């Protein structure tokens, strides 16, 4: 709590994103594995994805995204109180990606850490920042989703290698006395019982780098696409309804829902179940594929910069991913 036990508002004062220049198209992938542009497009909606070069590490992508977000917010480095980076592809095992970003941007008053919740990483981080800002402890927190998934994708495995791409998105969460706007509601959930749907085994304490892997492909991420597909649809529907209910809103009042970009068909089938119109649902997966934690903040930045989300608009953000984890947020701009 602040000194007077006052609860503040927490609003998004700036957004930013950054993706590598290199594009990997469906045509490129069809030369690497037995697949086709037609299969990938009809099953996923993805046309191309960005791939980082060896200098474009997760911290590098994060730094660029943060610069854009801080510029929009009009904030200098000393005004940032914390940086939280949702990622499953950190700069190193340790120290955190956040520390590299803190140093590079000269955030001398900020503490920094990474938060690992796979595709839900950005919304989990947003929820943490929301609590810190609303209790009055910090004025401005940088929240990110940043990934170099190409470093853990098996480019011999056709079901997963077509899905993923690299990128970073950032948002500044800032304190305000106006509690009627900003991050109005967040919800986060987990079910570790579903971990085998989507994972990367190496190299943690169970499969340490010091012991040879029985199966070399365990260096890469693995997924049970079908299982994840069905759960994702159900979660998007449930989380959307929770967000509406939290503030007694009707779906017609939501300007834009920004779901995690995992598969256009998953997004379309959940929006159909919710009875949303096409122009209420943001889909940019054709350009970037699934960038895990980065997908929602990249899409959010596009919505803000294109003027799709402006003052007074309600937006609902929903993520689902490995863990299993899920999360949602209701934001009023
Ligand atoms: C992965 C995904 C695109 C697969 O689509 P699908 O419609 O479920 O397809 P299936 O896995 O049932 O496979 C159907 C067939 O296509 C084949 N196939 C798989 N990948 C292929 C590819 N890239 N190109 C061509 N054929 C492919 C399969 O081998 C299978 O062939 P079979 O019927 O002869 O056995 C889809 O399940 C999905 O998007 N799941 C969620 C993604 C996810 O987990 N994201 C991460 C969490 S956020």
């Amino acid at each position: 709590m602040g000194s007077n036990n006052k609860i503040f508002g927490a609003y998004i004062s700036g957004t930013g994103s950054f993706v590598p220049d290199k594009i990997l198209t469906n045509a490129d992938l069809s030369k690497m594995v037995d697949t086709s542009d037609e299969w990938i497009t009809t099953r996923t909606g993805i046309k191309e994805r960005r791939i980082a070069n060896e200098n474009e590490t997760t911290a590098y992508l994060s730094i660029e995204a943060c610069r854009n977000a801080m510029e929009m917010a009009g904030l200098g480095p000393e005004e940032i109180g914390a940086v939280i980076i949702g990622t499953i592809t950190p700069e190193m095992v340790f120290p955190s990606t956040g520390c590299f970003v803190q140093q590079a941007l000269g955030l001398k008053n900020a503490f920094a850490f990474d938060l690992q919740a796979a595709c839900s990483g950005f919304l989990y981080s947003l929820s943490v920042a929301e609590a810190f800002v609303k209790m009055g402890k910090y004025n401005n927190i940088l929240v990110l989703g940043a990934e170099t998934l190409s470093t853990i994708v098996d480019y011999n495995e056709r079901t997963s290698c077509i899905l993923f791409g690299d990128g970073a998105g950032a948002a500044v969460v800032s304190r305000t006395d106006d509690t009627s706007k900003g991050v109005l509601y967040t919800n986060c959930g987990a079910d570790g019982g579903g971990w085998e749907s989507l994972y990367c085994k190496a190299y943690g304490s169970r499969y340490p780098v010091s012991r040879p892997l029985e199966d070399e492909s365990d260096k890469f991420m693995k997924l049970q696409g079908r299982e994840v597909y069905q759960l994702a649809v159900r979660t998007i529907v449930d989380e959307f309804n929770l967000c509406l209910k939290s503030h007694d809103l009707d779906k017609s009042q939501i300007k834009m829902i920004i779901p995690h970009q995992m598969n256009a068909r998953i997004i379309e089938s959940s929006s159909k179940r919710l009875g949303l119109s096409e122009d209420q649902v943001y889909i940019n997966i054709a350009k970037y594929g699934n960038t895990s934690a980065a997908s929602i903040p990249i899409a959010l930045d596009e919505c803000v910069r294109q003027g799709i989300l402006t003052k007074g608009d309600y937006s609902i953000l929903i993520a689902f991913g490995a863990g299993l984890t899920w999360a949602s947020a209701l934001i009023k701009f």
Side-chain angles (χ1 to χ4, degrees):
M1 291 295 136
S3 51
N4 301 319
N5 283 353
K6 184 175 172 183
I7 296 284
F8 296 91
Y11 75 107
I12 307 279
S13 59
T15 60
S17 58
F18 185 81
V19 293
D21 284 338
K22 187 183 167 193
I23 293 173
L24 183 70
T25 65
N26 291 349
D28 297 331
L29 280 165
S30 67
K31 292 180 200 133
M32 296 157 66
V33 288
D34 181 13
T35 191
S36 65
D37 175 45
E38 202 261 330
W39 194 95
I40 301 172
T41 306
T42 52
R43 300 283 180 134
T44 71
I46 302 168
K47 296 300 270 182
E48 58 189 44
R49 62 293 284 143
R50 301 302 179 101
I51 305 293
N53 67 34
E54 62 185 31
N55 299 317
E56 291 166 327
T57 60
T58 302
Y60 180 94
L61 303 180
S62 301
I63 290 161
E64 296 302 320
C66 284
R67 282 204 176 107
N68 295 334
M70 286 164 67
E71 193 187 347
M72 187 191 288
L75 291 172
E78 68 290 345
E79 292 172 279
I80 303 295
V83 52
I84 311 173
I85 306 192
T87 184
I88 50 169
T89 45
E91 192 75 358
M92 295 182 183
V93 173
F94 70 88
S96 71
T97 314
C99 284
F100 288 101
V101 173
Q102 182 274 335
Q103 188 270 336
L105 292 172
L107 310 178
K108 61 175 196 240
N109 297 316
F111 73 104
F113 64 99
D114 293 358
L115 188 155
Q116 209 268 55
C119 303
S120 309
F122 175 75
L123 291 185
Y124 266 52
S125 302
L126 181 72
S127 185
V128 172
E130 176 204 11
F132 273 137
V133 170
K134 283 189 176 172
M135 73 200 281
K137 193 157 180 180
Y138 297 97
N139 290 338
N140 303 293
I141 298 185
L142 269 166
V143 175
L144 287 92
E147 304 285 8
T148 46
L149 294 175
S150 60
T151 59
I152 55 165
V153 163
D154 184 353
Y155 285 100
N156 295 308
E157 209 286 295
R158 68 176 181 173
T159 311
S160 59
C161 76
I162 56 144
L163 295 172
F164 300 101
D166 301 334
V172 186
V173 180
S174 297
R175 191 168 101 179
T176 169
D177 285 327
D178 180 0
T179 52
S180 71
K181 73 168 185 182
V183 184
L184 300 181
Y185 170 80
T186 55
N187 184 54
C188 299
D191 173 13
W195 77 268
E196 283 173 298
S197 298
L198 184 58
Y199 58 82
C200 181
K201 282 183 176 173
Y203 288 106
S205 60
R206 199 182 291 193
Y207 300 95
V209 71
S210 53
R211 257 198 326 256
L213 290 166
E214 265 175 42
D215 179 351
E216 272 295 304
S217 75
D218 282 342
K219 287 189 295 211
F220 301 114
M221 72 162 100
K222 305 245 171 100
L223 83 147
Q224 306 298 328
R226 199 111 287 227
E227 278 175 37
V228 176
Y229 192 108
Q230 283 152 4
L231 283 167
V233 173
R234 216 175 309 143
T235 303
I236 293 174
V237 171
D238 291 349
E239 292 296 309
F240 183 85
N241 286 327
L242 270 181
C243 285
L244 282 188
K245 207 169 153 210
S246 73
H247 281 70
D248 206 15
L249 296 171
D250 183 80
K251 66 183 178 210
S252 62
Q253 291 172 272
I254 304 304
K255 179 78 184 294
M256 191 59 75
I257 164 174
I258 305 179
H260 168 47
Q261 307 288 309
M262 63 176 91
N263 182 325
R265 280 167 60 218
I266 292 178
I267 298 174
E268 281 154 8
S269 101
S270 37
S271 356
K272 207 165 142 201
R273 281 197 204 179
L274 288 165
L276 295 170
S277 67
E278 255 176 50
D279 60 5
Q280 282 178 294
V281 186
Y282 197 74
I283 307 183
N284 65 2
I285 193 169
K287 293 188 286 183
Y288 308 120
N290 177 347
T291 56
S292 189
S295 94
I296 290 178
I298 291 173
L300 180 66
D301 186 43
E302 289 186 351
C303 286
V304 170
R305 284 178 195 269
Q306 289 167 23
I308 295 169
L309 287 171
T310 54
K311 199 169 183 305
D313 289 337
Y314 286 104
S315 179
I316 290 178
L317 282 41
I318 304 175
F320 179 83
L324 299 169
T325 58
W326 58 89
S328 60
L330 170 68
I331 298 175
K332 187 176 184 192
F333 283 84

